Amino acid sequence: MSDLNVVSISNARIPADPFVARHLIDGDWRSSTDGATFERVSPSHDAVVTVACRGNLLDVDAAISAARRAFDEGRWSATTGKDRATLLLKVADLIDRDRERIAFHETIESGKPISQAMAEIEGAADIWRYAASLARTLHGESHNSLGNDFLGLVLKEPVGVVSIITPWNFPFLIVSQKLPFALAAGCTAVIKPSEMTPATTVILGELLLEAGIPAGVANIVLGFGDPVGAALTTDKRVDMVTFTGSTAVGKAIVETAAGTLKKVSLELGGKNPQVIFPDAELDAAADAVVFGVYFNAGECCNSGSRIIVHEDIAEEFVARTVALSRLVPFGDPLDPSTKVGAIITPEHNNKIDTYVQEARATGASVPLGGKVLEVPGLRGQFYEPTVVTNVTGDMPIAREEVFGPVLSVLTFKTLDEAIALVNDADYGLSAGVWSENVHTCLEFARRAHAGTIWTNTWMDGFAELPFGGVKQSGQGRELGKYGLDEFLEAKTVTMRIGKNREPWVSG
Ligand code: NAD
């Protein structure tokens, strides 16, 4: 273990009293109708950090009723873009004000490093500001080339009531990729955060109330996929579901939402490749590979979990990657120097280990890591930085989301072979290429099947640029102006000019 950079327990402490999380329904904080609660245990410190209300069908019903009423009465949809933008900007300022508090709860519930959580909350505030700018750009089309007798209008209207269901890996950032765009469009919402990470969505609810959001426009119901999440996808008063999470649950939601033909937008998993050509800037590539695989402990839809390296440089590149991996500070997420924190649950830590042991048993080599990491002073769960080589394209570790700090290395000889490996995947979220030859980068960008392509970089994101996947990585887009379009419907208005309509029936 001594050759890894392990950060032992820091001075920062878990509060003695857990955070108490309640539902936000129709502008009020409410307990569950049956009084049920559940606890979240910190994945790093093995202590109860949150006690949350456990939602049931009555709670969901109350939240959907509130959102429906707020929408139908025009409490929000009838406001001006200027008014919506003003509220979203206030929320952004409040997020900035409470950044440390939000980041702290994000860290102790999810296990992500505090420095990373701080950056994510800052990024979330930026997204709220960007969505505010879009709220004032809403407009449709007019068609005046339909002949002298007609004028056509296309109005852009809010979809209506939106269910927002989010995962545990980027709780505050992901709700911020959905809610401000839904609000900018004029929709109302019922939000269900992951049962692992309810606290920061509840804090967001507090900030929305402080900013003056009308009652019922944004509601929060805490609890589990069954029954809360499922009910949010079947109720006919909900017009749209926007979901981020696993592909398996995404598929289930498509089926349940089909009963009422809701619009469904899905941000799902990924098995994202980075292809490294011999002419690449190899130091930069190795650093980006290490960042790509260990960021958020690999519990990241965009994890660069498989690299495809030209065989001429594979040995040297793996050696660089292993050497850099040893320097990455793994350990107590509350220590500001930590870059990789805890794994979300003990069960998930076992699942990561199973992938590695299976790969080893079927011929792969593990030049670094490959087992559970002990962090002095902490009783949570951690996994070692792990590099797996001699991987073939048919191994589960090369095809499935491991969702841990585990890098799979494959090799290629030609661009065609690299592209074939990239596209031989059920997922299509993101892909990267490293080469100093712009033609190689452009050809890769055109031929790789993914929603996002990075050339000579990895995981840079901007509120202005759309994000989403192809194939089993999802449908629809978040961020950019596309993120707003998801929450809008087109309504056609065809107007006859003058009293000159030809009768259909004569006489
Ligand atoms: P998950 O699918 O287990 O849970 C996500 C949310 O769905 C949770 O709130 C959960 O309670 C809820 N849920 C569970 N069953 C449900 C059901 N039947 N109906 C409705 N809701 C239900 O995912 P997770 O483990 O929380 O998150 C990890 C997954 O999310 C990974 O696969 C990751 O790749 C994916 N993810 C994707 C993106 C993206 O933008 N593409 C971003 C982050 C995470």
Side-chain angles (χ1 to χ4, degrees), residues 166-169 192 195 229 243-246 267-269 301 401 403:
T166 57
W168 46 261
N169 56 349
K192 191 203 94 62
E195 55 275 22
F243 169 80
T244 298
S246 60
E267 296 292 337
L268 308 175
C301 56
E401 262 193 322
F403 237 51

Side-chain angles (χ1 to χ4, degrees), residues 19-271:
F19 182 89
V20 175
R22 294 194 176 83
H23 313 300
L24 175 60
I25 300 175
D26 214 5
D28 292 326
W29 294 106
R30 297 192 196 169
S31 299
S32 299
T33 52
D34 58 4
T37 59
F38 64 98
E39 292 179 339
R40 173 63 182 149
V41 173
S42 161
S44 50
H45 290 69
D46 196 30
V48 175
V49 289
T50 303
V51 177
C53 294
R54 182 175 185 141
N56 58 44
L57 290 177
L58 290 175
D59 302 317
V60 180
D61 179 68
I64 295 176
S65 300
R68 188 74 256 170
R69 225 174 14 252
F71 186 80
D72 292 344
E73 289 174 3
R75 265 180 242 171
W76 185 246
S77 58
T79 57
T80 63
K82 181 180 169 190
D83 287 345
R84 289 180 214 160
T86 303
L87 186 129
L88 299 188
L89 290 171
K90 259 190 217 162
V91 175
D93 289 345
L94 294 173
I95 293 171
D96 281 341
R97 185 197 67 190
D98 287 0
R99 182 152 76 115
E100 284 191 15
R101 176 177 173 235
I102 302 169
F104 181 75
H105 286 284
E106 196 85 322
T107 287
I108 61 177
E109 279 188 348
S110 73
K112 70 174 70 222
I114 188 73
S115 54
Q116 181 193 316
M118 288 287 282
E120 285 172 20
I121 309 309
E122 188 181 2
D126 178 56
I127 297 174
W128 280 81
R129 290 196 176 93
Y130 174 72
S133 73
L134 291 183
R136 301 189 72 164
T137 67
L138 271 177
H139 64 275
E141 298 165 8
S142 62
H143 290 256
N144 58 345
S145 58
L146 308 173
N148 284 341
D149 296 342
F150 288 99
L151 181 64
L153 298 180
V154 182
L155 308 182
K156 288 291 189 76
E157 298 193 335
V159 166
V161 174
V162 179
S163 291
I164 296 179
I165 303 175
T166 57
W168 46 261
N169 56 349
F170 297 94
F172 199 85
L173 197 62
I174 287 174
V175 74
S176 298
Q177 291 184 184
K178 298 177 185 290
L179 181 61
F181 294 85
L183 293 177
C187 296
T188 61
V190 181
I191 306 149
K192 191 203 94 62
S194 167
E195 55 275 22
M196 314 273 185
T197 51
T200 56
T201 301
V202 168
I203 296 175
L204 179 62
E206 291 172 9
L207 303 184
L208 285 161
L209 292 183
E210 189 178 339
I213 198 162
V217 172
N219 306 274
I220 300 169
V221 184
L222 308 172
F224 292 76
D226 177 17
V228 176
L232 287 174
T233 68
T234 48
D235 194 299
K236 69 177 180 193
R237 294 166 297 172
V238 170
D239 300 292
M240 172 178 173
V241 181
T242 171
F243 169 80
T244 298
S246 60
T247 294
V249 173
K251 287 179 183 174
I253 286 176
V254 168
E255 282 182 25
T256 52
T260 49
L261 280 185
K262 296 183 199 319
K263 183 170 181 180
V264 178
S265 156
L266 302 170
E267 296 292 337
L268 308 175
K271 187 72 192 175

